[in-house]
């Protein structure tokens, strides 16, 4: 395990996943200029799930919450997967 830490510079601590409320989710979606449907597809959830989060009936957890954290902190952009899709499509041509 030590060699893995040296090779990849693994941090010893994992940042806890934040809890996102309705306004947080809506704010992230507005800042990324996406629709509920697009964000749902990007996160791997249904559009109804996004609607439930934005209305406060439910909250994101697990992988969805982690991805929202990365978007919120601008560690990744919503286009990170779009670029990959475009590359894949150009490879097929």
């Amino acid at each position: 395990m030590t060699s893995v830490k040296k090779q990849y510079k693994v941090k010893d601590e994992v940042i806890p996943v934040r809890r996102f409320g309705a306004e947080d989710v809506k704010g992230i979606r507005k800042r990324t200029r996406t629709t509920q449907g697009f964000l749902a597809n990007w996160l791997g959830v249904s559009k109804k799930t996004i609607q439930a989060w934005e209305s406060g009936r439910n909250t994101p957890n697990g992988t969805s919450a982690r991805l929202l954290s990365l978007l919120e902190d601008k560690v990744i952009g919503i286009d990170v997967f779009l670029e990959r899709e475009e590359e894949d499509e150009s490879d097929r041509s």
Side-chain angles (χ1 to χ4, degrees):
M1 190 69 155
T2 306
S3 64
V4 170
K5 282 187 177 184
K6 287 180 184 175
Q7 183 179 1
Y8 294 104
K9 299 179 184 176
V10 176
K11 291 185 177 184
D12 289 330
E13 64 182 272
V14 174
I15 298 168
V17 177
R18 265 185 270 164
R19 298 189 66 81
F20 291 93
E23 291 303 315
D24 300 322
V25 175
K26 189 177 246 179
I28 291 168
R29 186 174 60 78
K30 296 287 186 184
R31 279 191 300 281
T32 56
R33 297 182 181 151
T34 59
T35 63
Q36 289 178 335
F38 182 87
L39 185 61
N41 189 42
W42 193 84
L43 292 171
V45 299
S46 71
K47 183 178 173 183
K48 288 187 181 229
T49 297
I50 301 292
Q51 292 169 344
W53 293 345
E54 289 189 1
S55 70
R57 290 189 315 266
N58 205 343
T59 58
N61 57 38
T63 305
S64 296
R66 182 66 72 188
L67 286 171
L68 286 170
S69 292
L70 294 172
L71 283 174
E72 177 78 357
D73 296 340
K74 298 181 179 154
V75 173
I76 58 173
I78 202 80
D79 60 334
V80 72
F81 296 116
L82 295 176
E83 290 171 6
R84 179 70 185 156
E85 267 183 26
E86 289 170 2
E87 288 173 13
D88 288 345
E89 287 176 13
S90 65
D91 289 344
R92 289 182 219 150
S93 303

